[in-house]
Amino acid sequence: MPFVNWLKRRLVVIAGLLTLGYLLLPNVIVTVFSFNKPNGRFNYAWQQFSTDAWKDPCGVAGMCGSLSLSLRIAVWATVGATVLGAMIAFALVRYRFRARGAVNSLIFLPMAMPEVVMAASLLTLFLNMGAQLGFWTILIAHIMFCLSFVVTAVKARVMSMDPRLEEAARDLYAGPVQTFVRVTLPIAAPGIAAGALLSFALSFDDFIITNFNAGSTVTFPMFVWGSAQRGTPVQINVIGTAMFLIAVLFVLASMAVGNRRNRQKA
């Protein structure tokens, strides 16, 4: 049968499109309801089309302040985790030292451990140290659990590097620093960038670890959770839609730059 043969040839593509649609469905709902004007406090049922929330995204008290705080924590956590994670990854791949196998295993613990366990452990540590819960305890916790993801991404990239490229640079009288800056770092850059982007997303989105170690500090995920108890403002959907669109534009721009470089090389 022609239809059955056509379906068999395109089964993988159809399954992929259905999976992609399933993954994007929540984002579509968030976008649609960012243009809603609910009658009550909860933005769960469609009432009428309105752009009021887009005109005043900071109309809810405390929301933009919590958003700014989450962005600052995510940026600094990304910087700290990326720098430390990249150095750890290079050390694990390039050098032999005692307990190297144990360090390799311990790196994966934060990824495998339930977040609530890590959150309670960090809270116990901070309380025993007498640390005041707030911005700095959140930042330290975020760097700690983002570190594993950066190490994993950079380590995979460094392990796939061809050592002959660095040897060729040294044969051409390039020093260690020049070899690292001109050869090693550009090759490892995609892994470092992937780890940094993943760290930013994980830090900005985290709720469990943050909630345990925040004290009276309120980040954007905590604000959303608290708002859901009293009523969900439409501005939350606006912020979510805006961040989704920014991420999509970033990915499209990266793809365009990559395609342009490939055409220039060809």
Side-chain angles (χ1 to χ4, degrees):
M1 297 176 63
F3 176 75
V4 175
N5 294 331
W6 178 88
L7 185 62
K8 288 181 179 179
R9 290 194 301 269
R10 293 167 174 80
L11 186 60
V12 175
V13 176
I14 294 173
L17 291 176
L18 290 175
T19 303
L20 183 61
Y22 176 75
L23 292 174
L24 293 178
L25 183 60
N27 297 301
V28 174
I29 295 175
V30 168
T31 302
V32 171
F33 276 83
S34 68
F35 294 98
N36 188 28
K37 187 175 182 179
N39 293 330
R41 294 179 302 167
F42 295 96
N43 185 29
Y44 298 151
W46 180 264
Q47 300 295 333
Q48 66 180 81
F49 180 85
S50 175
T51 58
D52 292 344
W54 283 92
K55 294 176 182 178
D56 188 16
C58 294
V60 180
M63 190 181 72
C64 283
S66 64
L67 175 63
S68 174
L69 177 63
S70 286
L71 289 173
R72 283 189 286 123
I73 291 175
V75 168
W76 286 113
T78 299
V79 172
T82 302
V83 173
L84 293 175
M87 291 191 294
I88 293 173
F90 274 100
L92 290 174
V93 174
R94 296 294 179 84
Y95 298 97
R96 300 292 182 269
F97 52 89
R98 289 184 179 180
R100 179 170 173 266
V103 173
N104 265 316
S105 301
L106 290 173
I107 285 295
F108 291 96
L109 278 182
M111 301 172 64
M113 185 183 299
E115 281 196 35
V116 67
V117 176
M118 184 184 296
S121 301
L122 286 170
L123 176 61
T124 303
L125 174 65
F126 292 139
L127 291 179
N128 288 331
M129 293 176 60
Q132 184 177 358
L133 300 180
F135 177 88
W136 292 107
T137 54
I138 297 173
L139 180 60
I140 292 171
H142 283 204
I143 292 175
M144 183 173 294
F145 74 78
C146 288
L147 197 61
S148 299
F149 296 91
V150 177
V151 172
T152 302
V154 178
K155 184 181 173 184
R157 183 66 179 179
V158 175
M159 291 179 66
S160 65
M161 291 173 56
D162 188 350
R164 291 175 296 182
L165 296 175
E166 294 173 305
E167 293 173 2
R170 288 191 290 268
D171 290 340
L172 295 172
Y173 303 103
V177 176
Q178 193 174 14
T179 300
F180 179 79
V181 173
R182 295 290 185 88
V183 179
T184 309
L185 190 58
I187 297 175
I192 297 173
L197 292 174
L198 187 58
S199 296
F200 182 87
L202 291 170
S203 175
F204 181 83
D205 187 56
D206 182 76
F207 172 78
I208 298 176
I209 295 177
T210 304
N211 191 40
F212 270 74
N213 299 281
S216 59
T217 305
V218 179
T219 61
F220 185 68
M222 295 174 64
F223 179 87
V224 174
W225 178 82
S227 298
Q229 314 303 312
R230 304 182 302 271
T232 308
V234 184
Q235 282 82 355
I236 289 177
N237 296 63
V238 172
I239 298 298
T241 302
M243 297 199 68
F244 173 71
L245 293 176
I246 291 172
V248 170
L249 291 175
F250 183 83
V251 171
L252 293 177
S254 300
M255 292 175 61
V257 172
N259 292 334
R260 183 178 179 182
R261 289 179 177 176
N262 291 334
R263 287 196 298 268
Q264 289 177 349
K265 291 179 180 179

